[in-house]
Amino acid sequence: MSFGETGNNLDLDFNALSNPHNGSAMELDQFSEERPTRQLLKVTPGPGADEDYERLAAIFRPVFAQIAAGAKDRDRNRILPFEQVGLLNRERFGALRLPVAEGGHGARLSDVFRLLIELSEADSHIGQLWRAHIAFVEDVLRLEDAELRAKWVARIAAGQIVGNAYTEKGGNALGSLNTKVSQVDGRWVVNGEKYYCTGTIFADWTAVAVSHPERPGRQIALVSTQHSGVKILDDWDGFGQGLTGTGSTEFHQVPVECFMPEDVNDPEAAIFQLVLMAVQAGIGRAALNDMRSSVQARTRSFSTGTGVPVHREPQVLQLVGEVSAEIFAADSVVMGAVLEVESALADPYLNAEERFAVCELAANRAQTIVQPLVISATSKLFDGLGASATRGSCNMDRHWRNARTIATHNPAIYKARIVGDYEINGVQPQRLSVTGELSSAPQGFGL
């Protein structure tokens, strides 16, 4: 079990702090200034955060600390985190899920997500940019083709990263793709343009959703980002999550390394969504950290207050308590959903369709509740600090901007309806693999 940033040695004299007869308020204030109060909150709530997790966390927490140190300035100055991705890659963060015997860390899926929350607390951009890679690794681990599995396991173990190029900016009909593969000199090549290519600018490979002339539906082609025909642009101009590499990628006669087998019932979509929820939980933690340290350090007060220092102001303390509760709830919901998915993936009694439904419903329920919690918490941050917290130099708004940006994905407003339709009418979640224009949607393509 791990506690806060100050570690496991809980050596505070709690009797002295809790008994009013043991010292005056002034003495307690002086004590707290000399000995910062330890935050007695588990880093990752819920079952399963055991010695195996702590072993992994001990490897990566020093890296997370380095990442956190420059997160505010990178966000303000739009500095892409190539160096920070390199630090994680040095410890083979991308190989967490691979078995130890195959060059990985042997992590459970729940371990990966606990670490992802901690990483996103350090810098939410970096947490999100691993989204496609985390989902791809799960796909690799389920491959039945032993030769293909061995090839990608070796690459992942060596530190190679896989990005995402699924979505097109527009002009394609719902259920169809303008990015296509064709044969040139006996080899398949990709031509087209993608957008929302999160993580690809940092990756060695990217998974491209393509139309195939000989196969129905969406196909996933793996291509090298190092090929001369790949042009990656940092042109994402959203007001949040600006450092994730979520921009355009152009493909001009790019050779296909391989096609990944497509299974309409695989849980990839749920993994994608849960990564975003883990990032949201990390954003909430970071906002709470900033709120805590700012209230503790604040000396200015308002004439409309009760006349006590801000760190003892009852309404401010209530507000901080509400934010802490919202973030605890968000953490717990995310990990509860991840544990549900982890259990479903290991359950031999579920068929593929049932497994997909369990995973989708878990992710949809989490998304429905986590995003409002985090958006609320990142907004309340300012109520406890006043107008000075809105200064650009503080960059406190990054928490809300980043949380609000993530909350638009896929999009969130449909998730509660999907869950409700299942609860009332038994309608299982449907997989929609290709976003596009509705007016000319072809029938039966990838729906």
Side-chain angles (χ1 to χ4, degrees), residues 101-366:
E102 295 182 283
H105 287 285
R108 297 161 298 194
L109 185 66
S110 51
D111 295 330
V112 174
F113 275 85
R114 285 190 169 92
L115 287 172
L116 189 62
I117 293 173
E118 292 197 43
L119 171 58
S120 300
E121 178 183 2
D123 189 328
S124 63
H125 305 89
I126 299 175
Q128 186 182 348
L129 69 84
W130 288 93
R131 185 186 185 205
H133 182 88
I134 289 170
F136 180 77
V137 171
E138 293 304 309
D139 288 340
V140 167
L141 292 175
R142 291 192 304 273
L143 281 174
E144 296 180 0
D145 184 329
E147 183 178 350
L148 187 61
R149 182 187 185 281
K151 177 189 292 186
W152 284 106
V153 163
R155 288 169 173 168
I156 294 164
Q160 296 184 26
I161 301 172
V162 179
N164 160 63
Y166 281 9
T167 307
E168 296 175 2
K169 185 176 290 188
N172 63 304
L174 179 66
S176 70
L177 289 162
N178 291 334
T179 305
K180 304 179 186 300
V181 292
S182 58
Q183 279 202 320
V184 176
D185 297 329
R187 185 168 189 181
W188 292 105
V189 297
V190 176
N191 286 282
E193 183 176 351
K194 296 291 186 178
Y195 194 56
Y196 301 112
C197 298
T198 303
T200 291
I201 200 169
F202 306 98
D204 304 281
W205 305 88
T206 192
V208 189
V210 297
S211 173
H212 193 294
E214 299 175 4
R215 302 180 186 178
R218 182 191 75 168
Q219 301 298 315
I220 302 300
L222 272 295
V223 306
S224 170
T225 60
Q226 309 306 307
H227 189 272
S228 59
V230 178
K231 184 178 181 181
I232 304 172
L233 305 175
D234 181 30
D235 58 352
W236 165 243
D237 62 352
F239 60 65
Q241 292 297 97
L243 310 182
T244 58
T246 305
S248 303
T249 305
E250 299 173 4
F251 302 92
H252 304 281
Q253 299 290 96
V254 181
V256 174
E257 171 69 9
C258 70
F259 292 99
M260 288 293 285
E262 273 284 270
D263 177 2
V264 295
N265 292 313
D266 76 36
E268 180 187 67
I271 299 295
F272 265 67
Q273 287 308 110
L274 287 173
V275 168
L276 293 180
M277 294 307 95
V279 175
Q280 289 278 39
I283 291 171
R285 286 187 183 185
L288 177 59
N289 292 341
D290 277 353
M291 190 178 198
R292 183 191 303 116
S293 60
S294 297
V295 169
Q296 288 171 339
R298 189 173 178 86
T299 57
R300 284 168 55 85
S301 189
F302 297 95
S303 59
T304 48
T306 61
V308 298
V310 174
H311 70 275
R312 294 191 181 279
E313 179 65 61
Q315 287 176 289
V316 173
L317 296 180
Q318 177 180 340
L319 190 69
V320 175
E322 290 172 359
V323 170
S324 179
E326 287 172 328
I327 300 315
F328 179 81
D331 268 10
S332 300
V333 170
V334 171
M335 288 312 306
V338 170
L339 290 167
E340 181 84 354
V341 170
E342 188 173 56
S343 176
L345 293 178
D347 189 341
Y349 299 105
L350 294 176
N351 62 38
E353 184 177 327
E354 291 168 336
R355 185 172 294 110
F356 173 79
V358 170
C359 294
E360 279 293 292
L361 289 166
N364 288 351
R365 289 173 180 133

Side-chain angles (χ1 to χ4, degrees), residues 69-82:
K72 181 175 72 173
D73 292 334
R74 285 193 301 273
D75 180 278
R76 185 171 59 234
N77 298 313
R78 196 180 177 87
I79 301 172
L80 292 180
F82 288 103

Side-chain angles (χ1 to χ4, degrees), residues 107 209 216 437:
E437 306 294 336

